[in-house]
Amino acid sequence: MAAIDCGTNSIRLLVADLPDPSAGPQAPLVDLARRMEIVRLGQGVDRTGRLAPEAIERTRVALAGYAAEIDELGVDRVRMCATSASRDASNAADFRAMVERTLGVAPEVVSGDEEARLSFTGAVRGLPADAEPPYLVVDIGGGSTEFVVGTRDGGVQAAISVDIGCVRMTERHLHGDPPTADEVAAAQADIAAAVDRALAAVPGREAATLVGLAGSVTTVVAIAQDLKEYDPERIHHARVPYERVAGVTADLLGRTAAQRLAIPVMHPGRADVIGAGALVLKVIMERAGMSSVVASEHDILDGIAWSQQPV
């Protein structure tokens, strides 16, 4: 089967075989391909309320490549979920028509609640034994961040999606290169207000373990580990203390985009928005009272894959 996650900043593909049901509830997916392209579909959506034609075209090019790989690997089932940017846009029908022409299936514009549940499912399978439940899973995207509280056995207890993400916060507040102290303060206040709303809706402060998902988190964790290249195996399930996250965040916000781009683990499409993404993670840790974060390379993409498992 194939899973495609089309977010505000990136579009990702997972082609995998589902494990045999007899292998048990913690048996992993058998990955055949994982791909990621930065297409910035949500470019300007916070300001204009529309998907930019050039952003739709960038997404089409990436999706055409994924469609070719799906055909080559002989996939039986495809599910594509589109998230924050395509929920917000007034011209979402143009995006939907492009996907159907290119991929042959319609995208599902999932609700924030469904997005949160898919992220939780993908993240909690295979968590190490020292990650104590209940979990607060946060998926920091380009346009929104999902907060989900639950356990592996009991599933999701509560979930909410709020409109803070690395692209949205950068476009709204962080205009300088590097951003000014006033810009950072304004972004931090905006993020803190949204995080407090989320934590009033879900009991995140009662969770024992914070699990962080998506590129902003994994990039911060890679920097915190002083990796010389992006290594998913070393990032997956790494635990980083708050003090290190705060230090990396301050460093990123103090650099120009060109200086961030020179960091060995930095994806070129993330350099201009990583400061805001790191700030979202730092504020979540502060407001939820979390002393550390466990990174997961498995997230909504894996959740989309698991959702295709026969009942």
Side-chain angles (χ1 to χ4, degrees):
M1 42 61 59
I4 297 174
D5 167 40
C6 186
T8 301
N9 198 41
S10 65
I11 183 168
R12 299 179 301 146
L13 167 71
L14 168 62
V15 180
D17 289 330
L18 292 164
D20 189 285
S22 64
Q26 289 306 306
L29 293 167
V30 181
D31 289 12
L32 303 177
R34 282 186 188 260
R35 305 283 182 260
M36 189 272 285
E37 299 284 344
I38 301 284
V39 294
R40 197 62 59 83
L41 178 62
Q43 169 193 333
V45 164
D46 190 58
R47 176 176 52 83
T48 67
R50 296 178 59 81
L51 297 172
E54 61 269 28
I56 294 177
E57 174 60 15
R58 288 193 299 268
T59 306
R60 185 199 65 77
V61 171
L63 195 58
Y66 290 172
E69 187 155 12
I70 286 168
D71 288 343
E72 184 179 331
L73 291 171
V75 165
D76 296 311
R77 298 186 299 280
V78 179
R79 185 182 185 194
M80 176 175 172
C81 292
T83 53
S84 178
S86 49
R87 272 201 306 269
D88 300 341
S90 62
N91 61 336
D94 295 342
F95 169 75
R96 181 185 178 90
M98 179 278 289
V99 171
E100 291 196 66
R101 288 194 306 270
T102 307
L103 190 63
V105 301
E108 299 176 46
V109 182
V110 296
S111 67
D113 184 67
E114 173 70 359
E115 186 176 350
R117 291 172 189 277
L118 289 169
S119 295
F120 186 85
T121 300
V124 302
R125 279 180 178 258
L127 277 175
D130 67 348
E132 296 180 22
Y135 312 114
L136 169 58
V137 175
V138 294
D139 187 342
I140 302 172
S144 64
T145 294
E146 285 64 58
F147 294 71
V148 199
V149 174
T151 62
R152 196 176 357 238
D153 296 332
V156 172
Q157 177 184 348
I160 189 172
S161 178
V162 293
D163 282 342
I164 50 171
C166 60
V167 175
R168 195 184 297 269
M169 291 298 99
T170 300
E171 291 185 350
R172 189 178 292 178
H173 297 293
L174 304 181
H175 306 299
D177 189 27
T180 66
D182 285 347
E183 288 172 348
V184 172
Q188 180 154 317
D190 196 357
I191 294 164
V195 171
D196 285 347
R197 287 197 303 274
L199 293 175
V202 304
R205 294 185 178 93
E206 299 171 16
T209 301
L210 175 66
V211 182
L213 314 182
S216 288
V217 173
T218 57
T219 301
V220 167
V221 169
I223 295 169
Q225 292 179 296
D226 295 318
L227 298 185
K228 301 308 177 191
E229 61 181 9
Y230 192 94
D231 184 346
E233 290 188 6
R234 291 189 61 185
I235 295 165
H236 189 47
H237 293 163
R239 186 185 289 270
V240 176
Y242 166 78
E243 292 76 18
R244 192 76 181 101
V245 171
V248 170
T249 301
D251 179 66
L252 289 170
L253 289 169
R255 293 180 182 234
T256 65
Q259 289 168 335
R260 290 184 221 118
L261 189 58
I263 298 171
V265 298
M266 189 66 62
H267 189 287
R270 207 175 295 286
D272 60 333
V273 296
I274 186 61
L279 189 60
V280 171
L281 175 60
K282 182 180 88 79
V283 172
I284 289 171
M285 296 181 76
E286 291 169 350
R287 309 306 280 193
M290 292 292 179
S291 61
S292 65
V293 60
V294 176
S296 177
E297 286 278 347
H298 295 173
D299 51 28
I300 188 172
L301 192 60
D302 301 74
I304 295 167
W306 286 113
S307 73
Q308 298 183 71
Q309 193 170 35
V311 178

